[in-house]
Structure formats: structure tokens, C-alpha cells
Amino acid sequence: MAFAPMGPEASFFAVLDQHRASLLAALRRGGGEPAGGGTPQASSSEVLASIESVIQDIITSVARNEAPAFTIGNRSSWENIKFEDSVGLQMVTHCTTRKIKSDSLKSVKKFALILKILSKIYKLIQSNTYATKRDIYYTDSQLFGNQTVVDNIINDISCMLKVPRMSLHILSTSKGLIAGNLRYIEEDGTRVHCTCGATAVAVPSNIQGIRNLITDAKFLLIVEKDATFQRLLDDNFCNRMSPCIMVTGKGVPDLNTRLLVKKLWDTFHIPVFALVDADPHGIEIMCIYKYGSVAMSFEAHNLTVPAIRWLGLLPSDIKRLNIPRDTLIPLTKRDQMKLDSVLKRPYVTCQPFWRKEMEIMADSKMKAEIQALTFLSSDYLSRVYLPNKLKFGGWI
């Protein structure tokens, strides 16, 4: 046994065990393997060859007295997206593209910045070293202007070369946290033992590098907000529901948190649940974990976990639990636009129960934060709501 059980009796997890069995059966029917997943990392030699090919095209253009340009898939267009329930939002093979031209006033600076970062990536791969996006920015902060410019260019390069971003040897700074019944070894040999106590562990910066993952967790709970995550830790939820794992991306998840959730799913195939606010923003965050985003659709196979289920807070729970209307928040115009946008997305057609919940929200014109449950009691979320949901299968 990897961990000393401290939570409820085995019978408590009967429905969870049935759910896991159904997930594994679905994987086998779909031809999926019980372990592994995602797109294999591109080898260093493959990435170097791809960069050399791009540079050779530039040299050829110059030799012909033509203005060189980079051709990059349009990462912001739904026209370039296809949806598969087993993967999520993916960029189509023959997508529309945009050109970053060296002879255009609008794009000449971006062309130069892409060239500069490509050079840095080439050197990193050659020397088998890694740098963070922040490191890249500070090599010439005045030239780049801001961190977002660097982030977008790195994603563009990954899309252009058609390789996972980790293969570029550029790491992201993690903002996520993890707690619960999990152990692993980081790339540098550091042994990490996540606990069910009041302190969480930062999500590693190099997810591909972690190894020897060990857990006997019955489920993984993704928590939208850091405040809710910390409250669950303070309420000793992890110990009471042990064995389990909790993760938060502190709102919209960073790449590393998404990669970690994906790695845990691929490695252990335990049920994964999302706990988000009953509002359009929370639903979209859950959808990012489950089905991905348009901007990162070119790397969907490495980031999405379609097996995720919506545990709460459900709009239907608000009425069922008699949560007073004065603890709810009216939908803003922006909320309504976001809700309308999500309802039109392709994955909603295969999630009729999700659609029903969103329609309840639209009809009521109200949203609720998870903290609304404190009206019932200060620890209602950890003591009653989540245990009952997990024991009786209250997810969709």
C-alpha cells in the first residue's frame, strides 16, 4: 500500500469504483490503452531539423530576392477547429494560415522576434538546457515590450513547427497547487511527497520530467479557485476523503497545471471531477481542462481530459438546496455573452445535461459562487456537499 488509508470505509467509494470501471471500459472500446496517452515528444534532432528547414526557406527566399515570411496556423479562428468527444477541440490539418511578412510594417517586428526566439530555442536544444518564458523575456525586455508578446510567439512557433511546446525546451512558471495522496520524483531527483495537510505543493515547471508517480487515490478533484482549494485544505477535506488528490490552477489554468492533470489521468485513469462556480466563467474553465481551448488546439492531445465530469456547483443545486436568492449574483451583460458563446460550442451537443444546467442559469439570470453554500453552514461544502456528491454519483 502506497499510503496509509485515513478516509472513509471502502464501501463509500463503491459508486466511484463503478464509475472508474466504466471509464476504463470506454477506453478499451475506443482502442485506448490503460496507460500512456497524448502525443509523443518530438526528439531534439526532429525539432532542430524543423527549425533548420524554416531557416532554409528564409535563405531561399532571400536568394530569389523575395521577402521571407513565416506561415503560421490561425490559432484564434473557430473555422480551424474540429471537435472529437474523445480528444476535444483540435486544429484541423489543412487550416487557414496567416503570414508574418518581413516586408510589412505591421509584421516586420514580429518576424524579427520570431527569428530571435527561434535562435534561442535552437541553442537550448543543442545544449540540452531549458529556459523559462520569463528567462526569454529578460534577455531583451525592452525589445519584447511585455511577457505576453513572448508567450504568444512561443505558442506560434510550437504551432508552426507542429511540435509540443515542451519539445522547444521552454518551461512555463507554474501557478497551480496540488495536495493529497501522491508521490513523484522531479527531473533533478527531488522526491516530492504531497500530503493531505494544510500545505499544498506547487505544480512542477517540467511536467514531462517527473517520474515514478505513486498514488492509491480514488479520485482527482480539480478546484477552480485558490480560495476554495485552501478552504478545503483547512477543513481537512483531503484526510476525510482520503485517498484522493486535489489540484487548482487558481482560475484559468496555466499550461503546467493542465499537463499535470493530463499526466495523472494518463498514468492512473482515476475519475476526475471539476468543482467550479455556477457561472459562465467557471464553466468555461472546466471546459478548458476537459476539451481544451481554441488558442492551444494544435496541442490538444497533450492537454485535454475528456473524462472529466462536472461535480459542482450545478445551477440545479441552487434550487435543490434552497439557497436564498439574496446570496446569488445577477448575470452581467458580459456573463450573458459568455454563456451564449459556450452554449454554441460544438462540445455542448454531446453534453445534454450540461446544456440543461446552463439553460437553468440563463432562465434564472443568476449565478452563484461556491461560497454561497456557507449559507447552509460554514463547512457544508467539505462536510456534506462534496461527500454526498462523491458517494451517490452526483456528477454530470
Side-chain angles (χ1 to χ4, degrees):
M1 180 69 68
F3 301 90
M6 302 173 68
E9 295 180 3
S11 59
F12 177 91
F13 296 111
V15 175
L16 274 174
D17 290 339
Q18 289 172 14
H19 178 49
R20 181 170 188 251
S22 70
L23 291 173
L24 290 170
L27 270 177
R28 294 188 187 100
R29 284 196 303 273
E33 295 296 324
T39 304
Q41 288 292 103
S43 69
S44 294
S45 59
E46 288 171 335
V47 182
L48 291 175
S50 294
I51 295 173
E52 287 163 4
S53 176
V54 168
I55 300 304
Q56 185 60 53
D57 288 344
I58 291 174
I59 294 169
T60 302
S61 295
V62 171
R64 293 173 178 168
N65 287 323
E66 298 170 355
F70 294 116
T71 302
I72 300 172
N74 192 339
R75 298 190 296 111
S76 61
S77 173
W78 279 94
E79 293 177 4
N80 282 343
I81 302 300
K82 67 176 181 177
F83 170 72
E84 287 182 27
D85 189 31
S86 61
V87 179
L89 303 176
Q90 304 171 76
M91 183 174 278
V92 296
T93 306
H94 303 291
C95 62
T96 60
T97 59
R98 57 198 169 93
K99 285 193 178 291
I100 311 297
K101 299 179 180 179
S102 60
D103 63 345
S104 164
L105 284 175
K106 282 181 65 178
S107 61
V108 63
K109 182 178 178 181
K110 185 165 185 178
F111 179 91
L113 293 180
I114 291 174
L115 207 54
K116 185 179 179 71
I117 293 178
L118 268 174
S119 170
K120 293 187 180 299
I121 291 169
Y122 194 87
K123 290 173 184 173
L124 286 170
I125 297 171
Q126 275 191 321
S127 60
N128 194 29
T129 54
Y130 288 82
T132 66
K133 293 189 298 182
R134 203 74 179 147
D135 293 334
I136 300 292
Y137 169 67
Y138 277 117
T139 59
D140 202 331
S141 58
Q142 285 191 322
L143 178 65
F144 290 121
N146 60 66
Q147 183 69 55
T148 304
V149 170
V150 174
D151 298 351
N152 286 331
I153 287 175
I154 290 168
N155 287 337
D156 279 341
I157 290 173
S158 181
C159 183
M160 177 175 66
L161 299 179
K162 295 181 170 55
V163 297
R165 217 182 67 186
M166 272 299 301
S167 297
L168 303 180
H169 282 225
I170 295 179
L171 307 174
S172 302
T173 303
S174 298
K175 65 171 182 169
L177 298 171
I178 184 165
N181 301 67
L182 178 68
R183 297 173 187 164
Y184 56 85
I185 299 174
E186 292 190 342
E187 189 181 38
D188 64 359
T190 303
R191 295 179 180 274
V192 179
H193 186 179
C194 304
T195 68
C196 295
T199 305
V201 171
V203 169
S205 292
N206 188 352
I207 301 300
Q208 287 300 128
I210 64 176
R211 62 189 191 277
N212 292 23
L213 288 91
I214 300 171
T215 190
D216 55 1
K218 292 289 188 177
F219 65 94
L220 166 61
L221 181 65
I222 299 168
V223 183
E224 176 192 349
K225 295 191 297 192
D226 184 37
T228 306
F229 182 86
Q230 296 297 338
R231 180 57 196 261
L232 289 173
L233 289 181
D234 292 343
D235 285 353
N236 207 26
F237 174 80
C238 259
N239 269 325
R240 285 198 263 143
M241 290 293 104
S242 180
C244 69
I245 300 170
M246 286 201 322
V247 171
T248 181
K250 297 183 180 180
V252 177
D254 59 287
L255 189 71
N256 289 327
T257 303
R258 292 175 64 189
L259 284 168
L260 177 65
V261 170
K262 171 70 171 173
K263 191 175 186 79
L264 291 172
W265 163 250
D266 285 342
T267 306
F268 301 113
H269 288 106
I270 55 175
V272 184
F273 302 109
L275 176 64
V276 298
D277 288 338
D279 67 12
H281 187 67
I283 294 169
E284 178 159 65
I285 286 171
M286 174 173 58
C287 290
I288 290 172
Y289 282 106
K290 185 176 175 75
Y291 290 130
S293 62
V294 174
M296 294 297 289
S297 59
F298 64 91
E299 204 177 335
H301 284 83
N302 295 315
L303 295 171
T304 60
V305 183
I308 290 171
R309 298 294 183 264
W310 187 359
L311 190 65
L313 183 64
L314 302 179
S316 59
D317 290 336
I318 295 167
K319 183 177 180 181
R320 181 176 61 84
L321 297 172
N322 294 316
I323 296 174
R325 192 173 178 87
D326 60 8
T327 65
L328 308 181
I329 306 166
L331 289 176
T332 64
K333 189 174 181 180
R334 188 176 178 184
D335 289 332
Q336 192 62 58
M337 289 173 63
K338 175 68 71 180
L339 186 58
D340 292 342
S341 169
V342 174
L343 280 165
K344 291 174 184 172
R345 292 181 190 171
Y347 42 69
V348 175
T349 57
C350 68
Q351 293 289 349
F353 293 112
W354 284 30
R355 174 178 285 280
K356 187 176 179 181
E357 292 294 333
M358 285 186 269
E359 287 172 349
I360 290 171
M361 187 188 302
D363 291 341
S364 71
K365 294 184 174 11
M366 303 296 280
K367 60 183 180 180
E369 296 184 332
I370 294 165
Q371 285 80 358
L373 294 174
T374 57
F375 167 80
L376 300 165
S377 73
S378 60
D379 61 350
Y380 188 84
L381 174 68
S382 61
R383 184 176 54 83
V384 181
Y385 182 82
L386 290 176
N388 283 343
K389 286 260 181 175
L390 293 164
K391 184 173 184 179
F392 299 109
W395 53 78
I396 58 175

